Amino acid sequence: MTTHAPRVAYSELSPQAFKGLYQASMGLHKSPLGARLVELVFLRVSQINGCAYCMDMHWRDLVKQDADPRHLNAVAGWREAPFFSERERAALRWAELVTDIPHKDASDEEFALLKAQFSDAEIADLAFAIAIINAWNLLSVSMRNPLPEQV
């Protein structure tokens, strides 16, 4: 149970913006990145941002896609875990760098590592995925979107 009460019902008070962000999120699942990779990025960025609501949702979505829960429990430690492909590792690394831009440099060297795994179109989709989940995380955490005890 959360120790905070929700601040405002942002989805109801700003329905057009909410709907647009939701549609953009859903559109990414149909991108060449694939739903699994998008959800892995969503989960990792949500972990970084401390968004319990989003961590729970994206973990459950990955389990519905038959992801091994043990693999998902290792997402925060992906560098040490043997469960992730080079493509997934490149996406997770880029997601971490972009999410922490005020403190880290998404350098040309890092971008070259990303480019070795993804096409330009996929990189564009990945950039949107990272931006969109950061937006959801910021909304959810700042507005204290409660994590439901039951789903």
Side-chain angles (χ1 to χ4, degrees):
M1 186 161 103
T2 184
T3 58
H4 303 291
R7 289 183 166 149
V8 297
Y10 58 89
S11 61
E12 297 167 20
L13 296 168
S14 190
Q16 291 300 94
F18 180 86
K19 183 178 176 183
L21 194 56
Y22 179 81
Q23 288 175 331
S25 298
M26 292 300 101
L28 286 168
H29 288 88
K30 297 174 184 137
S31 81
L33 293 174
R36 176 185 162 84
L37 184 59
V38 169
E39 287 295 331
L40 281 174
V41 167
F42 284 178
L43 177 59
R44 181 63 190 123
V45 172
S46 297
Q47 290 171 334
I48 293 166
N49 290 328
C51 183
Y53 182 90
C54 294
M55 283 186 269
D56 179 66
M57 178 174 53
H58 299 299
W59 188 91
R60 285 186 288 107
D61 287 347
L62 282 157
V63 168
K64 286 178 191 171
Q65 294 177 32
D66 294 323
D68 184 327
R70 185 169 175 238
H71 297 187
L72 300 181
N73 290 338
V75 168
W78 63 266
R79 286 174 183 81
E80 297 178 23
F83 311 126
F84 305 100
S85 69
E86 288 306 310
R87 186 173 163 87
E88 291 169 336
R89 290 174 183 283
L92 292 168
R93 179 158 181 79
W94 190 251
E96 288 179 354
L97 287 168
V98 171
T99 298
D100 201 24
I101 276 182
H103 308 288
K104 292 184 183 162
D105 181 25
S107 69
D108 291 341
E109 292 82 11
E110 293 290 350
F111 187 75
L113 295 173
L114 182 70
K115 198 147 173 64
Q117 296 293 326
F118 295 95
S119 70
D120 288 350
E122 290 171 322
I123 290 171
D125 284 341
L126 182 59
F128 275 104
I130 296 164
I132 288 167
I133 192 57
N134 271 288
W136 283 121
N137 291 164
L138 295 174
L139 283 165
S140 191
V141 172
S142 67
M143 294 297 116
R144 295 184 175 158
N145 196 14
L147 175 65
E149 287 191 44
Q150 306 249 341
V151 287

